[in-house]
Amino acid sequence: MAVPKRKTSKAKRDSRRSHHKLTAPNLTECPQCHQPKLPHHACPNCGYYKGRQAIEVE
Ligand SMILES: [Zn+2]
């Protein structure tokens, strides 16, 4: 089996991982209850989407 000749340097290893970061989700304000919610999703707090009750929330 092929074996690496040299240990991967810190710079090579770290630059490979430079795309591994996480990004925070985009949040918009619900026009109904003014809580943060994901865009293009029904609000998890009040269940409204496009100005009407889209899902039931107790
Ligand atoms: Zn809402």
Side-chain angles (χ1 to χ4, degrees):
M1 198 171 97
V3 172
K5 190 167 187 177
R6 296 195 182 284
K7 176 176 177 173
T8 305
S9 69
K10 292 173 206 166
K12 180 73 181 167
R13 178 202 63 199
D14 292 350
S15 68
R16 179 173 64 237
R17 294 176 186 172
S18 69
H19 301 284
H20 288 197
K21 64 190 179 292
L22 292 171
T23 55
N26 244 344
L27 291 175
T28 56
E29 187 187 318
C30 175
Q32 185 73 19
C33 64
H34 304 289
Q35 290 293 305
K37 71 169 199 66
L38 290 170
H40 312 289
H41 286 252
C43 176
N45 188 61
C46 65
Y48 267 67
Y49 191 71
K50 278 192 160 181
R52 63 178 180 83
Q53 190 88 29
I55 52 167
E56 289 300 322
V57 179
E58 61 276 2

